[in-house]
Amino acid sequence: MDILFYHPTFDNDLWIRKLQAQMPDARVREWKSGDNGPADYALVWHPPVEMLQGRELKAVFALGAGVDSILSKLNAHPEMLPQSVPLFRLEDTGMAEQMQEYTVSQVLHWFRRFDDYQAQKQQRCWQPLPDYQREDFTIGIMGAGVLGSKVAESLKGWGFPVRVWSRSRKSWPGVSSFAGQGELDAFLSGTRVLINLLPNTPETVGIINQALLEKLQDGAYLLNIARGVHLIEDDLIKMLDGGKIKGAMLDVFSREPLPPESPLWAHPRIAITPHLAAVTRPQEAIEYIADTIGKLEQGMPVTGQVNRERGY
């Protein structure tokens, strides 16, 4: 079989060598403009329309957990990828472990009041503060897919009350589940730490705005590790300055890299990381892709296929 590979920032030679080692019977090549040769599968990230248009592919694999960059191009160029061609995303491939590390470390940072002690350090102030209590530190996770389930499981192990909000209700032991727009307010009420893991869909763009943040518990925290377009950044700054929100940790932004002139950089109660909460690990991703292609070739059931109508 022939496999096309395209990623604008990865070490393509490394990936192709690893793919070839994992699938020795396949012919793997890096796609470059003008390559109209035959291909059975395409592994892509932010693919140019030219790469996929007009090809008879068996499947396309997005080299990440999100597929919004592909779906946005399909809205403008529906001929780029016929509905008959299945689109897959990386469900886990090491990302869940990274998300667990990221979220647990930040929640504990806030729970142990290290943000307050850092502020005191700037003032050369030595003052022990009252402890927060776990029962008052409810964690609310927006988005209950594969990554959301792993994050909930990890935080539950630390004894925090954990709740999730998603399109459909979940039945996870020890985790409260809220479903649909009608239960969003109940989910937000009493939530002390809001973690965003929603997919990027037309319905979720701008969902974290002033109206939503006002419904959280006073002194709440926000952790955004999904997509920057979910958050209205000016609304967050307003809520921070007004005291409703105590702190925020942002890994994703509406513009990336975050421009130097963005007010987010200078805000004392916003922490920033450069979109690294969970990155694609080559070996885990390649093993999943090879296994899935093998099953597709044999007509076996597979996981990770994207529902284009839902957007994930």
Side-chain angles (χ1 to χ4, degrees), residues 181-235:
Q181 194 65 34
E183 296 184 8
L184 179 57
D185 286 0
F187 163 81
L188 296 169
S189 178
T191 291
R192 185 64 176 276
V193 177
L194 182 66
I195 300 174
N196 178 35
L197 278 168
L198 289 169
N200 180 10
T201 68
E203 294 76 25
T204 62
V205 171
I207 191 172
I208 305 176
N209 51 34
Q210 181 174 341
L212 181 143
L213 294 171
E214 285 176 339
K215 295 171 183 175
L216 296 171
Q217 183 177 334
D218 289 345
Y221 297 94
L222 171 67
L223 181 58
N224 189 15
I225 48 179
R227 285 292 185 268
V229 295
H230 291 140
L231 172 66
I232 305 299
E233 294 170 356
D234 288 345
D235 286 3

Side-chain angles (χ1 to χ4, degrees), residues 294-306:
K295 289 177 178 176
L296 288 171
E297 290 290 308
Q298 298 176 53
M300 298 171 61
V302 294
T303 62
Q305 184 169 347
V306 172

Side-chain angles (χ1 to χ4, degrees), residues 1-311:
M1 71 181 70
D2 292 288
I3 299 176
L4 286 179
F5 184 91
Y6 175 84
H7 196 293
T9 61
F10 278 178
D11 181 342
N12 289 353
D13 289 340
L14 171 67
W15 275 77
I16 289 172
R17 286 198 307 271
K18 287 181 174 290
L19 283 161
Q20 200 70 71
Q22 190 74 32
M23 296 182 286
D25 294 333
R27 293 177 294 274
V28 186
R29 70 182 189 274
E30 178 183 1
W31 179 85
K32 295 181 179 179
S33 182
D35 179 353
N36 297 314
D40 299 290
Y41 297 93
L43 319 182
V44 302
W45 190 249
H46 290 272
V49 173
E50 176 195 355
M51 178 185 180
L52 301 180
Q53 193 170 16
R55 292 187 181 278
E56 296 183 3
L57 296 166
K58 296 181 180 179
V60 172
F61 290 81
L63 295 169
V67 293
D68 38 290
S69 68
I70 297 176
L71 295 179
S72 64
K73 286 189 178 180
L74 280 173
N75 289 333
H77 303 276
E79 75 283 357
M80 183 176 84
L81 193 66
Q83 284 284 347
S84 58
V85 179
L87 174 63
F88 291 87
R89 62 186 179 89
L90 303 183
E91 286 188 306
D92 185 346
T93 63
M95 293 182 188
E97 181 181 55
Q98 296 173 75
M99 286 292 192
Q100 288 175 321
E101 293 167 349
Y102 193 102
T103 54
V104 168
S105 65
Q106 188 57 40
V107 168
L108 292 178
H109 178 89
W110 287 326
F111 179 67
R112 292 298 306 272
R113 306 195 66 168
F114 293 153
D115 56 330
D116 291 322
Y117 288 120
Q118 180 63 21
Q120 288 187 173
K121 173 182 177 291
Q122 304 304 319
Q123 303 171 8
R124 301 175 185 268
C125 174
W126 182 285
Q127 177 62 53
L129 300 170
D131 292 340
Y132 290 143
Q133 302 303 308
R134 273 179 170 77
E135 59 268 23
D136 301 325
F137 218 76
T138 298
I139 315 297
I141 303 169
M142 299 178 74
V146 173
L147 299 180
S149 68
K150 295 297 184 181
V151 168
E153 177 186 343
S154 186
L155 289 166
K156 186 182 66 171
W158 284 91
F160 294 108
V162 178
R163 56 178 62 170
V164 297
W165 178 75
S166 55
R167 179 193 294 265
S168 58
R169 198 173 310 284
K170 307 301 178 184
S171 297
W172 299 345
V175 176
S176 301
S177 177
F178 298 79
Q181 194 65 34
E183 296 184 8
L184 179 57
D185 286 0
F187 163 81
L188 296 169
S189 178
T191 291
R192 185 64 176 276
V193 177
L194 182 66
I195 300 174
N196 178 35
L197 278 168
L198 289 169
N200 180 10
T201 68
E203 294 76 25
T204 62
V205 171
I207 191 172
I208 305 176
N209 51 34
Q210 181 174 341
L212 181 143
L213 294 171
E214 285 176 339
K215 295 171 183 175
L216 296 171
Q217 183 177 334
D218 289 345
Y221 297 94
L222 171 67
L223 181 58
N224 189 15
I225 48 179
R227 285 292 185 268
V229 295
H230 291 140
L231 172 66
I232 305 299
E233 294 170 356
D234 288 345
D235 286 3
L236 171 62
I237 291 175
K238 187 184 302 183
M239 293 290 96
L240 286 164
D241 291 344
K244 175 66 179 183
I245 303 300
K246 188 173 181 185
M249 181 77 173
L250 307 179
D251 184 57
V252 290
F253 305 90
S254 56
R255 290 179 61 193
E256 294 184 3
L258 186 64
E261 65 272 16
S262 170
L264 298 175
W265 286 112
H267 202 287
R269 287 187 283 133
I270 295 178
I272 288 173
T273 51
H275 204 147
L276 50 66
V279 299
T280 303
R281 290 176 172 169
Q283 193 56 46
E284 289 93 331
I286 288 168
E287 288 174 1
Y288 161 76
I289 292 168
D291 179 68
T292 303
I293 288 177
K295 289 177 178 176
L296 288 171
E297 290 290 308
Q298 298 176 53
M300 298 171 61
V302 294
T303 62
Q305 184 169 347
V306 172
N307 182 317
R308 296 199 202 178
E309 297 300 319
R310 292 202 309 246

